[in-house]
Amino acid sequence: MIPRLETERLILRVPEIKDWPDYAQLMLSPRAVYMGGPFTTPVAWGMFCHDLAQWQLFGHGALMIDERETGHCLGQVGINYGPLFPERELGWILYEDAEGKGYACEAARALRDWAFEIRGLETLVSYIDPENTRSRRLAERLGATLDPAAPGQDPTDLVFRHPRP
């Protein structure tokens, strides 16, 4: 079952087809550079479907981030895994209008805590492009520390290991 998580300002919910246009716009744009993009529409669609399929395959996946007060979708937070990921990865993407307001930290903390406390995961990492200073700072705010011995999804990734809460 896909959870619905709530924080003080946010609702984390199952992705729906109505989320596709904004997701695609981000993935096809230069803003996706730190995730290996920009991507083509078919690749972005595959990623969108992958985010949802992981719930069935692994018991975790992606959740859309809605602002509680307005219902406006702000981005996505998720736990990635499978053949493309050496370990379970806590990741986040925000749409441009949502950046700089602490939403990614609040959403990532909620999903991380759910993963450890409810799902019982033993460890989580975040794979971060060395040039993505905003995501690096966010991982550090979440208490994650650099793990230079851990393999990255990409050989150039920095791997931040998240502590159990």
Side-chain angles (χ1 to χ4, degrees), residues 86-163:
E87 295 186 61
R88 285 173 171 81
E89 183 220 16
L90 176 63
W92 47 82
I93 55 173
L94 283 187
Y95 302 138
E96 193 169 9
D97 64 338
E99 288 186 348
K101 300 173 185 168
Y103 294 133
C105 188
E106 190 172 330
R109 182 176 288 117
L111 188 56
R112 178 203 64 194
D113 292 354
W114 172 87
F116 285 136
E117 295 169 10
I118 305 300
R119 182 66 176 76
L121 297 184
E122 292 297 318
T123 187
L124 281 172
V125 298
S126 289
Y127 302 119
I128 300 176
D129 184 295
E131 295 182 21
N132 191 344
T133 56
R134 293 184 82 165
S135 279
R136 289 172 64 179
R137 286 194 307 259
L138 174 54
E140 291 167 351
R141 270 197 313 277
L142 290 166
T145 56
L146 197 56
D147 184 349
Q153 180 189 20
D154 179 275
T156 63
D157 285 341
L158 298 175
V159 179
F160 284 81
R161 188 159 306 279
H162 293 272

Side-chain angles (χ1 to χ4, degrees), residues 8 10 13 22-24 28 44 47 58 65 67 75 85 91 100 103 130-131 139 152 157 159:
E8 181 180 336
L10 306 173
R13 59 160 177 85
D22 289 336
Y23 180 95
L28 275 64
M47 293 168 67
F58 305 114
I65 305 167
E67 186 176 40
F85 297 88
Y103 294 133
E131 295 182 21
D157 285 341
V159 179

